[in-house]
Amino acid sequence: MRRADRLFQIVQHLRGGRLVTGRELAERLEVSLRTLYRDVADLQGSGVPIEGEAGLGYVMRAGHDLPPLMFTEEEIVALVAGARLVKAWGGLTMARAAEEALVKIDEVLPAKARERLEAVQIHAISMQSMPEALRERLDLVETAVHSRHRLQIRYLSESGDQTDRLLRPLGLFFWGKVWTLVAWCELRDDFRTFRLDRIAELEIAERFPPERDKSLPAFYAQDRRRRAPAADQ
C-alpha cells in the first residue's frame, strides 16, 4: 500500500469519533507500530484533528473535511438493511466492512438524514449462528472469485460421499440460509454449484485466464436454455 493510501485509510478508520488503539490500526493496515505512530504524527502535524497518543489510542474530532453525502430516505433504509444482512450472514471481513461503512456514512450525513439512519428498524437475525470457519471460507472464496484463482476442494455430497474437485470460482449466491458457489468444475468439464457448508477442505490454487465459455454469463445462458420450453415439433 502506498503511504498516501495508508494515511487516507488511517483517517477513514478514525471517522465517527471512536477511540482506536495504535495496535489495532497497525494490524488493519499491516504495518509496524513504529510506522503507524510516525504516520499519525505526520497527520497531526498537517492539521488533521487526531487526538490521543501511543499506548492510549487515537480519536478524530467529528467534522474534519467531510463532504456531505445526499441519500434519499429509501436509499438510507436500503443501505442499513443491506449492511445488517451482511453482518448477520456474510463473511468475517464482509461483516467488519459493513459496520465500517455504516459508521462512515453516519459521519458524513446531514443531521436530518442521520436521524433517519438511526431510526431504521430493519434487523437481520441469524436463527442459527454461522460458524466462524464458514464465515472465513466465504471471505476466502469471494477473494478467489475476484482474483480468478482456482480452488482445490474436497466436497461432501448430501449422502456424505467425498470428491476432490478443481474449480474455477465464478460467483457466490445467498439463498436465505445457504451460500452456494457457481463454478466451472474441471473434473466434470461443466458448470456446477457447491454449498459452502459442504466444503470440507479448501486450498487456493493457481490463477486461471478468463474464458467466455467458462464464465458466469455463459452459466446464465446455459441455465436459460435448460429452462426454456422445448420447441414445437
Side-chain angles (χ1 to χ4, degrees), residues 14-223:
L14 292 176
R15 278 180 164 178
R18 297 167 298 164
L19 182 69
V20 184
T21 67
R23 185 171 300 279
E24 184 179 356
L25 282 171
E27 290 176 353
R28 291 183 182 182
L29 298 169
E30 299 181 346
V31 297
S32 67
L33 271 173
R34 182 178 179 181
T35 297
L36 186 280
Y37 292 150
R38 184 174 64 246
D39 287 346
V40 171
D42 289 344
L43 286 169
Q44 290 172 324
S46 66
V48 179
I50 297 175
E51 299 175 350
E53 58 185 74
L56 296 177
Y58 299 100
V59 64
M60 187 172 67
R61 294 196 302 271
H64 169 66
D65 192 24
L66 300 177
L69 282 180
M70 299 304 295
F71 293 110
T72 66
E73 290 196 2
E74 292 79 8
E75 290 169 341
I76 291 172
V77 171
L79 287 170
V80 173
R84 289 175 180 171
L85 282 167
V86 170
K87 286 176 63 177
W89 295 101
L92 291 176
T93 300
M94 295 179 195
R96 286 193 295 265
E99 187 172 3
E100 289 292 325
L102 284 182
V103 170
K104 293 173 184 176
I105 291 171
D106 177 78
E107 175 67 15
V108 299
L109 285 175
K112 184 177 180 180
R114 186 179 300 118
E115 291 176 3
R116 183 64 181 98
L117 182 145
E118 294 171 352
V120 174
Q121 295 302 324
I122 297 178
H123 305 278
I125 300 174
S126 176
M127 300 303 293
Q128 183 176 359
S129 179
M130 280 183 67
E132 186 168 310
L134 180 56
R135 287 181 177 267
E136 291 177 347
R137 187 179 307 151
L138 178 56
D139 285 329
L140 190 63
V141 173
E142 191 281 327
T143 299
V145 170
H146 176 69
S147 62
R148 294 202 306 273
H149 274 83
R150 287 184 173 89
L151 295 175
Q152 181 71 53
I153 71 168
R154 177 158 294 169
Y155 192 69
L156 303 178
S157 67
E158 188 173 3
S159 61
D161 296 330
Q162 295 187 12
T163 57
D164 292 331
R165 308 289 187 100
L166 182 62
L167 310 177
R168 297 184 180 206
L170 302 175
L172 285 160
F173 296 82
F174 183 56
W175 300 88
K177 291 184 178 180
V178 175
W179 282 96
T180 60
L181 167 68
V182 170
W184 178 267
C185 178
E186 305 285 6
L187 177 65
R188 305 302 185 195
D189 197 31
D190 200 358
F191 296 107
R192 290 290 188 273
T193 59
F194 301 87
R195 285 179 50 155
L196 262 62
D197 58 346
R198 291 183 182 165
I199 296 178
E201 298 177 18
L202 182 149
E203 291 183 5
I204 300 291
E206 72 282 358
R207 293 194 68 187
F208 62 89
E211 294 185 44
R212 184 173 299 178
D213 60 339
K214 300 176 182 177
S215 64
L216 202 57
F219 166 77
Y220 291 142
Q222 183 188 87
D223 187 61

